[in-house]
Amino acid sequence: MLLSDSPTLVEAVELVRRVRMWPFVRVTIEADSAALHSGVRDTFIARLDLRTGGLTAYVAGDQGRPLVAAEPLARSTRNGVRIEVVDAESRRAGERLIRWRIDLERFGVQFREASP
């Protein structure tokens, strides 16, 4: 089987293809990974390993805890939240993770100020 036939690679590439069309995301390919940036400040928000399908969205502290509780395929890491993109279901979960991280970047200050 060729590497290009790998279901993980196919889903990871499809995730990149879809996310590149979003207005608040910039994707750069660096060797075997894709770096995702968002917002006016072009903040680095996530990395996708194209070989393994590992998608990590970077967040500080326990900000990812609500997402991990709500998303069965997500798990907390030292740096944020991770999803293994290996099939269509996990690719969709990866899209939700990226949208959530973009919203956190765009509206995080408002969320923090509104919290008691």
Side-chain angles (χ1 to χ4, degrees), residues 62-73:
D62 62 352
Q63 289 178 316
R65 190 175 300 155
L67 178 73
V68 170
E71 179 60 64
L73 297 177

Side-chain angles (χ1 to χ4, degrees), residues 2 5-6 8 15 23 25 32-34 37 47 49 51 67 84 88 90 93 96 100 102 111-112 116:
L2 298 172
D5 294 333
S6 160
T8 298
L15 178 60
V25 178
D32 292 332
S33 68
H37 297 81
R47 180 170 305 279
D49 185 317
R51 293 169 295 126
L67 178 73
E84 302 301 325
S90 58
R96 289 189 297 272
W100 170 83
I102 290 167
F111 293 148
R112 285 188 295 277

Side-chain angles (χ1 to χ4, degrees), residues 19 25-27 34-38 43-48 55 98:
V19 169
V25 178
R26 182 175 66 84
V27 179
L36 286 72
H37 297 81
S38 180
T43 303
F44 176 58
I45 60 167
R47 180 170 305 279
L48 173 63
L55 170 65
I98 295 166

Side-chain angles (χ1 to χ4, degrees), residues 6-102:
S6 160
T8 298
L9 180 62
V10 169
E11 291 301 334
V13 169
E14 177 64 9
L15 178 60
V16 169
R17 187 191 70 75
R18 294 170 64 94
V19 169
R20 273 191 163 151
M21 294 186 286
W22 297 358
F24 295 103
V25 178
R26 182 175 66 84
V27 179
T28 57
I29 304 297
E30 304 167 350
D32 292 332
S33 68
L36 286 72
H37 297 81
S38 180
V40 179
R41 296 182 315 239
D42 200 38
T43 303
F44 176 58
I45 60 167
R47 180 170 305 279
L48 173 63
D49 185 317
L50 297 170
R51 293 169 295 126
T52 66
L55 170 65
T56 302
Y58 300 103
V59 294
D62 62 352
Q63 289 178 316
R65 190 175 300 155
L67 178 73
V68 170
E71 179 60 64
L73 297 177
R75 62 181 173 84
S76 292
T77 69
R78 171 171 57 89
N79 299 325
V81 177
R82 184 173 176 93
I83 290 179
E84 302 301 325
V85 178
V86 296
D87 56 20
E89 179 183 355
S90 58
R91 177 184 40 79
R92 288 187 296 273
E95 290 178 29
R96 289 189 297 272
L97 173 59
I98 295 166
R99 281 191 192 106
W100 170 83
R101 182 58 184 88
I102 290 167

